[in-house]
Amino acid sequence: MSSIEILKNFYDYGTSGIANIDDLSTTPLTFVKWGNERLIYCNHPEQVKAEHYGEKGKFLNRVVVEANKKVLLYASYELTKKPLMGTNKLAVRVFNPNSTIATVEITKMGYNCTDDYDVACDVWKDYAVNRSKRIKVNSKQSEWIIIEDAPQKFVELLSLFETDSQIVVAVYVCENVNKIPAETTFIKKTENVYSGWSENYSLHTQDTLFASKLLKKDKCSIFYRLGVPCHNNKNVNESIPINMVQGGVASFGTATYNNLGNWGIIYHFAITIRNDTQKTVKFRAYAISNNDSHCAGIQSGYNADAYHLGINGSKIARNKMRWHFYESRALEPGEFLMPEFNYSILSKGSSACAIQFEVVEV
């Protein structure tokens, strides 16, 4: 497998030749979930008010994590309270219930706080940078492993860490971490927004694409749909249910907690592209927004980029439906490549999207 160069080419609705992703003929994907993972998902409440602050004795999420787990912490909030002095903060506290020292190592972290809807784009690009921070937590004690200033409205955090012992992870918004009591409680639940945890934060899939088959298809392309839980797709094993902190499970099949879009989940694609024709061809790949908006993040090797596509997108990707993010070199007859990349559905957009692979003769 090889990493890809991430391109920055965009196409609007008029030139894409695609009117609506719901009209696409898509090919189902089968996803594999790896073990030894834990997702900590934080999106309740979406709007954090004064009564939700840590100083009021409230946490936004609290999760028990077993030893030797790889943990992805995803948090997305809108802050409505102006601080009396200083600035708001997003903070993560770890408690060690064991009789021995616990070690937590942060290996990746992206954070951003801004007033615009591109908040998650910079988080994704920052998250792709490897980093190392180790925190020792004494027996029966707590330590703050993350404290970030939040001076603007939209707050976004994506952090990957590991622990060698069982720990309890709690997430807070506050003005002063020193004024948060040792004992805190959860806030009142509401419908269709939630915080909690899941056994997985990554989905892995692979496929082999033959130039001869794609050249016979509409638009010489194959299309894959993502964001299934909200949009009745036919992918296998894509849903990642959330065990809610207040009890119960948020999943696609429930009546009131079904707003699952897989935000923050890492989709790992391992694709083999093969030229089995007698012509010279190239393969191209695109991320396609739904008709409203979609915030897409792509990472491969040390390269990462993200854009907020669609009619209600932002900045250079506003009103752009397709992001042309990959193009292979010219493949002679019999040649093949094995591009590999991660894809993430980021916040502030609708989750429904598609990945397109196209073949063109050169």
Side-chain angles (χ1 to χ4, degrees), residues 163-183:
T163 174
D164 65 356
S165 307
Q166 184 187 70
I167 56 174
V168 182
V169 181
V171 179
Y172 301 88
V173 166
C174 64
E175 290 185 41
N176 187 339
V177 295
N178 296 319
K179 294 184 178 180
I180 298 177
E183 297 294 329

Side-chain angles (χ1 to χ4, degrees), residues 8-292:
K8 301 179 181 181
N9 303 322
F10 303 95
Y11 301 92
D12 61 25
Y13 285 80
T15 60
S16 68
I18 299 169
N20 193 316
I21 63 171
D22 292 329
D23 298 330
L24 295 175
S25 176
T26 58
T27 298
L29 288 166
T30 296
F31 291 98
V32 175
K33 298 175 181 178
W34 288 358
N36 203 38
E37 293 183 349
R38 177 59 52 88
L39 170 69
I40 300 178
Y41 185 92
C42 310
N43 188 226
H44 173 67
E46 287 185 343
Q47 291 187 329
V48 180
K49 301 178 181 179
E51 59 266 30
H52 304 142
Y53 274 50
E55 290 93 334
K56 298 291 186 180
K58 302 296 182 182
F59 63 80
L60 301 183
N61 199 357
R62 186 165 63 194
V63 175
V64 176
V65 177
E66 293 83 6
N68 302 313
K69 289 284 187 181
K70 291 186 177 180
V71 183
L72 181 70
L73 192 158
Y74 171 77
S76 180
Y77 297 112
E78 178 181 345
L79 306 186
T80 63
K81 178 182 179 293
K82 298 294 183 182
L84 296 177
M85 57 185 301
T87 184
N88 291 316
K89 289 177 171 56
L90 179 67
V92 179
R93 183 164 65 181
V94 166
F95 173 72
N96 175 13
N98 308 286
S99 57
T100 56
I101 293 174
T103 301
V104 178
E105 182 176 7
I106 298 175
T107 56
K108 291 179 179 288
M109 196 178 91
Y111 175 78
N112 195 17
C113 182
T114 181
D115 282 338
D116 68 53
Y117 266 39
D118 264 12
V119 58
C121 295
D122 287 338
V123 170
W124 176 253
K125 288 181 279 189
D126 195 27
Y127 173 80
V129 179
N130 290 328
R131 65 194 74 218
S132 182
K133 177 184 176 182
R134 288 190 177 186
I135 303 99
K136 300 286 187 180
V137 187
N138 290 328
S139 172
K140 312 300 180 182
Q141 300 295 313
S142 296
E143 292 287 345
W144 295 100
I145 65 168
I146 296 173
I147 303 175
E148 295 289 343
D149 287 344
Q152 308 299 325
K153 181 167 64 172
F154 298 124
V155 175
E156 197 92 8
L157 171 69
L158 197 62
S159 178
L160 187 68
F161 60 88
E162 300 179 34
T163 174
D164 65 356
S165 307
Q166 184 187 70
I167 56 174
V168 182
V169 181
V171 179
Y172 301 88
V173 166
C174 64
E175 290 185 41
N176 187 339
V177 295
N178 296 319
K179 294 184 178 180
I180 298 177
E183 297 294 329
T184 54
T185 59
F186 187 58
I187 63 178
K188 183 180 179 181
K189 64 182 180 180
T190 55
E191 292 183 1
N192 250 341
V193 291
Y194 40 85
S195 286
W197 63 273
S198 180
E199 292 286 357
N200 300 95
Y201 61 76
S202 63
L203 296 166
H204 303 260
T205 192
Q206 57 186 5
D207 203 355
T208 299
L209 305 181
F210 295 93
S212 62
K213 293 183 179 180
L214 266 63
L215 286 169
K216 295 176 182 178
K217 288 180 172 288
D218 181 36
K219 299 180 177 60
C220 298
S221 297
I222 188 170
F223 298 91
Y224 306 114
R225 281 285 300 271
L226 301 179
V228 177
C230 289
H231 299 279
N232 297 319
N233 224 6
K234 296 181 180 179
N235 292 341
V236 177
N237 211 30
E238 187 182 0
S239 179
I240 295 185
I242 305 296
N243 300 281
M244 295 183 292
V245 67
Q246 69 266 27
V249 177
S251 67
F252 181 58
T254 61
T256 56
Y257 291 100
N258 55 18
N259 182 31
L260 285 181
N262 280 9
W263 282 278
I265 299 302
I266 311 297
Y267 289 82
H268 179 251
F269 284 83
I271 305 294
T272 300
I273 51 177
R274 188 178 295 274
N275 182 9
D276 60 336
T277 73
Q278 297 304 309
K279 306 171 183 178
T280 302
V281 302
K282 286 184 177 182
F283 286 77
R284 296 171 177 165
Y286 307 81
I288 306 177
S289 172
N290 58 78
N291 282 0
D292 176 47

